[in-house]
C-alpha cells in the first residue's frame, strides 16, 4: 500500500558499489481515503535499500538494514538519510535469464494497520563505472 | 555476511587457481546410481551375465573419462597463476598456465593453449518437486598462447582480457548467480588431451587504467 503523504527525494539515483544513496524523507500528513488524518497511529518511518531478482530462477530478495526516523505528534517528518551500498554488490543487471533490481524503500510504520510504503528504483554500478554503466540497465548493450 | 569476492589466499606474488576435477564431473551421482541399479538388476535376474555387465560398465566408464584418466596418470592438476583476484572489468590480466608432469615433460615440442572465457548465468527454479537449473552463456571469448615444455611440465603465458559491459561481475544470490569460467585445452604432440575448467571471480570494479589505455588506442 503506497502513502501519498510520503515523499522520498534522492540526490542521485545511481551509486557505485561501496558508495551510498543520499536523500531526504518528507512526510506531510493529509486526509486519507476514510477522511481520517493519515498521521493517526504512525509510529515511525523506516528506510532501507533492497535488491531482488526477476527472471527464470526463483526470486531472491535481500533487504539491507533499516534506518528508522521518528515522526512528530502530527505525523510529520523531514529527515536526511544515507544508505550504504555493500562493497561486493551485486550490481544492477539485466541479463538473459536474470535481472537484478535495486530499490530504496520507505515504510510508514502504522499501529494496527498495514504499513504504507514508497519504493524508488535505483541503479547500482561497478566501482569506477561512471560514464560506462549509466543506463537504466547497464548491461543491456552486452546482448546487442 | 561474508564477502564472496574476497581475494583468494595464495603465494606472495599472486594467486593460484586449480582446475576443477573433470573426471569427478563425469562420474556424478546420477551416473553412479544408474551403474549400481544396473548391477543389482543383472545380479538378481541374470546372475550369469554379471561379469559381462561389469565389463561393459568399465568400458563405458573408460569411454567417458578415458582422456581425463590418461592425463591424470601422467600429469598433475593444471593451475593458473594470476596477479590477483577478483579480476576487474575491462582489465587485461597476464596469466600463467602450469601443468606439472609426474614423469617429466621431455619429448614435447611446441604446443598451444586454447582457452574459452565464459560468463554464465545460472538460474535455479522449482518445477513440481524438482529443482532445475537453467544456464545461459552471455559472453564467450577465445584466448590462448604458445607454450613451452620442460622437465617440470608445461607452461603457457597469455593475456586474459575481461570485457567491460559484457556479462556481469560474479555474484551468487542463492537461486540466481553469475559465474566466470576459463576452459582450456592443449594442442600438440604428447600434451594431455583433457579439458580443464577454472572458475574465476570477476569483481564489481572497473579497471580505469585499462579503460584509459583502451580509449588511447582508438
Amino acid at each position: 500500500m503506497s502513502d501519498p503523504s510520503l515523499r522520498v527525494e534522492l540526490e542521485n539515483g545511481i551509486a557505485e558499489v561501496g558508495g551510498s544513496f543520499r536523500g531526504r524523507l518528507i512526510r506531510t500528513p493529509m486526509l486519507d481515503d476514510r477522511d481520517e488524518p493519515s498521521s493517526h497511529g504512525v509510529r515511525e518511518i523506516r528506510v532501507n535499500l533492497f535488491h531482488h531478482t526477476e527472471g527464470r530462477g526463483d526470486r531472491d530478495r535481500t533487504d539491507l538494514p533499516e534506518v528508522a526516523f521518528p515522526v512528530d505528534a502530527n505525523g510529520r517528518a523531514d529527515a536526511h538519510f544515507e544508505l550504504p551500498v555493500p562493497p561486493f554488490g551485486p550490481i544492477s543487471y539485466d541479463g538473459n535469464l536474470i535481472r537484478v533490481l535495486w530499490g530504496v524503500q520507505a515504510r510508514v510504520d502504522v499501529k494496527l494497520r498495514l504499513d504504507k510504503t514508497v519504493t524508488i528504483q535505483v541503479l547500482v554500478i561497478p566501482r569506477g563505472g561512471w560514464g560506462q554503466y549509466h543506463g537504466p540497465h547497464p548491461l543491456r548493450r552486452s546482448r546487442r | 555476511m561474508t564477502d564472496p569476492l574476497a581475494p583468494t589466499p595464495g603465494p606472495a606474488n599472486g594467486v593460484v587457481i586449480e582446475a576443477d576435477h573433470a573426471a569427478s564431473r563425469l562420474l556424478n551421482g546420477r551416473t553412479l546410481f544408474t551403474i549400481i541399479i544396473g548391477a543389482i538388476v543383472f545380479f538378481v535376474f541374470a546372475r550369469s551375465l554379471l561379469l559381462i555387465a561389469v565389463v561393459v560398465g568399465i568400458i563405458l566408464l573408460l569411454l567417458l573419462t578415458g582422456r581425463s584418466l590418461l592425463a591424470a596418470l601422467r600429469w598433475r592438476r593444471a593451475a593458473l597463476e594470476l596477479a590477483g583476484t577478483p579480476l576487474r572489468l575491462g582489465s587485461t590480466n597476464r596469466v600463467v598456465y602450469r601443468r606439472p608432469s609426474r614423469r617429466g615433460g621431455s619429448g614435447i615440442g611446441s604446443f598451444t593453449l586454447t582457452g574459452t572465457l565464459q560468463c554464465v548465468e545460472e538460474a535455479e527454479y522449482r518445477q513440481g518437486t524438482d529443482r532445475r537449473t537453467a544456464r545461459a552463456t552471455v559472453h564467450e571469448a577465445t584466448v590462448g598462447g604458445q607454450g613451452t615444455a620442460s622437465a617440470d611440465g608445461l607452461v603457457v603465458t597469455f593475456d586474459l582480457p575481461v570485457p567491460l559491459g559484457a556479462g556481469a561481475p560474479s555474484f551468487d544470490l542463492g537461486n540466481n548467480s553469475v559465474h566466470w569460467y576459463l576452459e582450456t585445452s592443449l594442442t600438440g604432440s604428447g600434451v594431455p588431451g583433457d579439458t580443464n575448467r577454472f572458475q574465476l571471480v570477476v569483481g564489481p570494479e572497473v579497471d580505469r587504467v585499462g579503460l584509459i589505455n583502451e580509449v588511447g588506442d582508438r
Side-chain angles (χ1 to χ4, degrees), chain B residues 74-92:
Chain B
R74 181 165 178 198
W75 304 93
R76 295 183 195 280
R77 255 170 107 180
L80 289 185
E81 289 177 14
L82 293 154
T85 65
L87 304 175
R88 291 177 181 175
L89 298 160
S91 66
T92 299

Side-chain angles (χ1 to χ4, degrees), chain A residues 31-85:
Chain A
L31 293 180
D32 66 11
D33 53 3
R34 288 188 287 185
D35 284 342
E36 289 176 2
S38 59
S39 60
H40 186 71
V42 173
R43 290 190 282 214
E44 62 184 4
I45 301 170
R46 296 176 185 166
V47 188
N48 75 309
L49 260 178
F50 69 96
H51 60 76
H52 68 92
T53 59
E54 287 179 353
R56 184 78 172 274
D58 288 346
R59 183 183 162 99
D60 290 309
R61 180 177 168 119
T62 301
D63 282 276
L64 300 183
E66 292 179 324
V67 184
F69 297 96
V71 293
D72 66 15
N74 299 315
R76 285 192 175 81
D78 187 346
H80 292 266
F81 62 85
E82 181 170 359
L83 303 170
V85 182

Side-chain angles (χ1 to χ4, degrees), chain B residues 188-211:
Chain B
S189 126
V191 296
D194 58 345
T195 301
N196 294 125
R197 191 173 76 159
F198 303 88
Q199 187 167 346
L200 306 172
V201 179
V202 175
E205 184 169 0
V206 173
D207 181 29
R208 301 305 297 183
V209 177
L211 195 64

Side-chain angles (χ1 to χ4, degrees), chain B residues 3-19:
Chain B
D3 182 353
L5 300 174
T8 315
N13 59 346
V15 293
V16 175
I17 300 169
E18 290 196 322

Side-chain angles (χ1 to χ4, degrees), chain A residues 17 51-62 64 86-91 93-98 100 125-133 138-143, chain B residues 1-5 89 119 121-126 131 134-138 163-171 173-178 203-208 211 215:
Chain A
V17 296
H51 60 76
H52 68 92
T53 59
E54 287 179 353
R56 184 78 172 274
D58 288 346
R59 183 183 162 99
D60 290 309
R61 180 177 168 119
T62 301
L64 300 183
F88 43 87
I91 65 164
Y93 178 59
D94 184 18
N96 289 359
L97 301 175
I98 303 167
V100 179
I125 62 173
R127 197 176 299 110
W130 289 102
Q132 292 295 318
Y133 292 81
L139 301 172
R140 189 182 290 278
R141 67 196 170 100
S142 68
R143 286 188 287 168
Chain B
M1 193 185 290
T2 57
D3 182 353
L5 300 174
L89 298 160
C119 177
E121 293 178 4
E122 292 183 4
E124 280 188 24
Y125 58 97
R126 188 180 293 276
R131 296 284 299 166
R135 290 185 178 83
T137 302
V138 292
L164 194 65
S170 309
F171 65 77
L173 301 175
N175 297 311
N176 299 276
S177 56
V178 167
E205 184 169 0
V206 173
D207 181 29
R208 301 305 297 183
L211 195 64
V215 171

